[in-house]
Amino acid sequence: TVLYARDKWLVKDGSGIILPDTVHMYVGALEDADYKQRKLNFWHGVGYDIDMTCIKPSVLCEPLIDVCDSKYIISNNCKIQEIDLYTVKVEELDFTAQYALEFTRNDTFSGLIGWFDTIFKKLPNQITLSTSPYTKPTHWKQTTFYHEKDISVSQGDTLKGSIALRKAQKNHREI
């Protein structure tokens, strides 16, 4: 939507501005075993004497959008993408990125958590709107990608992987 507005209405001589103009996307490692189990175990007691446990495997496939307290982050953070809203092309919004996270304490790895910051560089005093778990919660919250199994980790261990983001085919505003 922002890119459509940019291409349709932004003055081409460079005098117009986009606010915000930059987006940074991050991932971190998360310890969230209790909440994850409550989410899964919910399907044991739905009620009406109907066995709904068959839903449990699909629950882990769906990202969870919720507010996460920063105390559950157990690694450094990794920037997986930087988007310049002045120059990015729509097709560049589908991407794959590598990440490397170092665990900051001995704990249990439950999954990844993702968030974004938007930066207003063109303002006289640059402002950042963050959806990070380290800042006051916003309605965007964070996105958790649970791992199938909880894994014990030690401080200094490294987790390397890749993450792919794609626009949803049914709704171009969703990923």
Side-chain angles (χ1 to χ4, degrees):
T1 303
V2 172
L3 302 187
Y4 174 82
R6 174 198 70 190
D7 295 344
K8 183 168 179 150
W9 292 298
L10 189 66
V11 178
K12 302 289 189 255
D13 67 4
S15 63
I17 63 171
I18 299 173
L19 295 173
D21 51 83
T22 306
V23 178
H24 295 172
M25 300 175 76
Y26 298 89
V27 294
L30 178 69
E31 182 287 311
D32 198 22
D34 289 340
Y35 188 71
K36 178 179 167 184
Q37 283 308 310
R38 284 197 313 272
K39 183 179 174 192
L40 290 173
N41 290 338
F42 166 81
W43 296 102
H44 285 284
V46 174
Y48 306 106
D49 296 323
I50 300 172
D51 182 4
M52 298 293 288
T53 56
C54 61
I55 302 249
K56 285 175 64 173
S58 63
V59 170
L60 287 178
C61 295
E62 289 293 321
L64 172 70
I65 299 174
D66 205 349
V67 173
C68 177
D69 191 303
S70 62
K71 70 182 179 184
Y72 297 109
I73 308 296
I74 59 171
S75 71
N76 64 334
N77 307 316
C78 181
K79 184 175 9 174
I80 58 167
Q81 186 71 314
E82 182 169 333
I83 301 169
D84 180 339
L85 294 176
Y86 283 102
T87 61
V88 70
K89 296 178 177 89
V90 172
E91 56 271 15
E92 295 172 332
L93 297 177
D94 289 344
F95 67 90
T96 300
Q98 304 296 313
Y99 62 84
L101 300 169
E102 183 176 326
F103 292 99
T104 55
R105 64 182 190 234
N106 301 334
D107 215 318
T108 302
F109 169 70
S110 302
L112 295 175
I113 184 165
W115 66 91
F116 64 90
D117 293 346
T118 57
I119 300 127
F120 297 73
K121 291 181 179 178
K122 298 290 185 181
L123 294 178
N125 297 316
Q126 181 176 305
I127 294 174
T128 298
L129 168 70
S130 181
T131 66
S132 160
Y134 300 101
T135 61
K136 183 178 176 183
T138 69
H139 76 279
W140 287 290
K141 304 175 184 177
Q142 294 89 38
T143 303
T144 301
F145 305 91
Y146 285 115
H147 193 270
E148 185 178 337
K149 297 179 181 173
D150 294 332
I151 301 169
S152 293
V153 296
S154 299
Q155 182 176 354
D157 287 351
T158 301
L159 173 68
K160 294 181 180 181
S162 64
I163 188 166
L165 275 75
R166 305 281 183 263
K167 289 181 294 308
Q169 291 186 3
K170 293 182 181 181
N171 181 352
H172 72 281
R173 294 183 57 143
E174 293 180 354
I175 56 173

